[in-house]
């Protein structure tokens, strides 16, 4: 189950969350935005709590923003990474989680290369667990921050058409967005070469508003959002030499989007491959920096919710 609201509140996936549950987290995140922008002072909602940031895969945005989010709410963090921890000596995921739980922390935020790793830990510890990315499965707080960004730019997402483009097969960001977007009534088109966007992905959600296309150019004129994904070479993604020509978001392609359409990317970017620098840095269309700022607010909302505040 994505969210367990019995005695513990875990956030493991957006799959299974209702539109109402998602909207209530987004509303809470929106209320925290003035703190992120330093227009309002931090609040002491989680004073004296300790959050463990257990990142067994590399991260800049997610790990850093969970730390900032915790601190803006008055909590402290203990940071553990794969390199430099006893994971590198072969300690298992569960032994690592039990060790951290034994410190007496109040919640565990975790990233792992194992799909289902966060659910496994959640089933075996007595503190809330927040999935910060588990292999190719889900990245729920990224999905939430993307939804918040789209909602800010476009309003109600019902009926909006969102393209997710590139290495879908390896992307937990794509999976979380598919579940979140369909829960909020948007239409999703997954676009990429057949190797990275196989037709079977149309079955990702029981909703009938997901399609798969291999032709980016034919979709551009009807989009409200185009979300580019990183080609995940570290997960074995292979691309042909014409990848940029067929699927790269260039300034020329961007001109064929509707006037109001926005460009997103979860980061980190392969500039010049899936997205050109001129597009990523376009002050009007690009929402990439707004996504990062929203990530702090969303993680504040999720931490406060998970800890019952
Ligand atoms: N940072 C995102 C993730 O960890 C996307 C990516 O790495 O391409 O899933
Ligand atoms: N978007 C994202 O998850 O970035 P990091 O891998 O840098 O955390």
């Amino acid at each position: 189950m994505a969210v367990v609201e019995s005695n513990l509140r875990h956030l493991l996936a957006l799959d299974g969350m209702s539109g109402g549950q998602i909207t209530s987290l987004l509303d809470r995140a929106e209320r925290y935005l003035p703190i992120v922008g330093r227009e309002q002072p931090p609040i002491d909602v989680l004073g004296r709590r300790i959050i463990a940031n257990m990142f067994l895969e590399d991260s800049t945005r997610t790990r850093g923003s969970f730390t900032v989010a915790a601190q803006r709410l008055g909590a402290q963090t203990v940071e553990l990474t794969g390199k430099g921890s006893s994971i590198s000596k072969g300690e298992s995921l569960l032994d690592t989680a039990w060790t951290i739980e034994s410190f007496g922390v109040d919640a565990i935020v975790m990233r792992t290369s194992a799909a289902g790793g966060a659910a496994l830990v959640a089933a075996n510890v007595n503190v809330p667990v927040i999935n910060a990315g588990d292999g190719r499965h889900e990245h729920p707080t990224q999905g939430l921050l993307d939804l918040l960004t789209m909602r800010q730019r476009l309003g109600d997402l019902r009926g909006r058409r969102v393209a997710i483009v590139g290495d879908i097969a390896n992307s937990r960001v794509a999976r979380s967005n598919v579940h979140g977007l369909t829960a909020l009534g948007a239409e999703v088109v997954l676009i990429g070469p057949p190797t990275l966007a196989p037709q079977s992905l149309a079955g990702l959600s029981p909703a009938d508003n997901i399609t798969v296309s291999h032709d980016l150019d034919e979709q551009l004129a009807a989009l409200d959002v185009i979300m580019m994904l990183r080609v995940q070479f570290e997960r074995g993604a292979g691309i042909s030499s014409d990848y940029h020509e067929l699927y790269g978001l260039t300034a020329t392609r961007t001109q064929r989007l509707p006037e109001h359409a926005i460009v997103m990317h979860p980061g980190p970017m392969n500039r010049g491959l899936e997205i050109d620098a001129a597009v990523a840095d376009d002050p009007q269309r690009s929402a990439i920096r707004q996504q990062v700022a929203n990530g702090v607010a969303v993680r504040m909302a999720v931490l406060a919710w998970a800890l019952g505040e």
Side-chain angles (χ1 to χ4, degrees), residues 6-24:
S6 50
N7 56 335
L8 290 177
R9 294 179 176 185
H10 305 293
L11 178 61
L12 304 176
L14 295 193
D15 186 9
M17 278 179 80
S18 68
Q21 285 173 314
I22 291 174
T23 300
S24 119

Side-chain angles (χ1 to χ4, degrees), residues 223-307:
L223 300 178
D224 297 298
V225 177
I226 183 163
M227 182 185 297
M228 305 308 296
L229 296 176
R230 182 174 67 90
V231 179
Q232 300 198 29
F233 293 108
E234 80 279 19
R235 295 195 205 279
I239 51 168
S240 55
S241 54
D242 56 1
Y243 186 85
H244 178 262
E245 193 187 312
L246 293 175
Y247 298 106
L249 191 56
T250 59
T252 312
R253 281 203 165 102
T254 308
Q255 281 157 15
R256 288 166 34 213
L257 292 165
E259 190 77 26
H260 68 273
I262 61 166
V263 171
M264 301 176 70
H265 192 302
M269 292 181 271
N270 290 312
R271 283 175 183 255
L273 180 56
E274 69 263 0
I275 188 166
D276 282 4
V279 181
D281 302 332
D282 179 329
Q284 260 79 51
R285 281 202 197 272
S286 172
I288 295 171
R289 289 188 179 202
Q290 190 177 350
Q291 287 173 265
V292 178
N294 284 341
V296 180
V298 156
R299 287 161 183 139
M300 289 170 77
V302 168
L303 288 173
W305 165 81
L307 288 163

Side-chain angles (χ1 to χ4, degrees), residues 30-94:
E30 209 148 44
R31 292 199 292 277
Y32 287 139
L33 273 171
I35 301 177
V36 179
R38 289 174 294 152
E39 293 132 32
Q40 280 178 15
I43 45 174
D44 203 22
V45 170
L46 298 182
R48 295 178 297 280
R49 308 287 189 102
I50 298 180
I51 318 281
N53 253 346
M54 177 174 144
F55 275 71
L56 310 182
E57 258 194 0
D58 292 346
S59 170
T60 296
R61 278 148 286 269
T62 313
R63 182 175 160 211
S65 62
F66 264 113
T67 303
V68 171
Q71 290 174 353
R72 290 287 189 220
L73 293 173
Q76 291 173 307
T77 58
V78 53
E79 308 281 336
L80 288 121
T81 52
K83 295 161 208 149
S85 75
S86 288
I87 287 270
S88 64
K89 302 180 200 165
E91 189 163 30
S92 74
L93 180 63
L94 271 186

Side-chain angles (χ1 to χ4, degrees), residues 67-143:
T67 303
V68 171
Q71 290 174 353
R72 290 287 189 220
L73 293 173
Q76 291 173 307
T77 58
V78 53
E79 308 281 336
L80 288 121
T81 52
K83 295 161 208 149
S85 75
S86 288
I87 287 270
S88 64
K89 302 180 200 165
E91 189 163 30
S92 74
L93 180 63
L94 271 186
D95 281 338
T96 305
W98 281 325
T99 302
I100 291 168
E101 184 190 22
S102 303
F103 297 159
V105 300
D106 296 289
I108 297 176
V109 174
M110 60 171 286
R111 171 172 285 191
T112 165
S113 58
L120 177 73
V121 169
N124 284 282
V125 297
N126 273 315
V127 291
V129 173
I130 297 160
N131 182 9
D134 61 329
R136 295 179 179 80
H137 175 228
E138 279 228 30
H139 191 349
T141 57
Q142 178 74 42

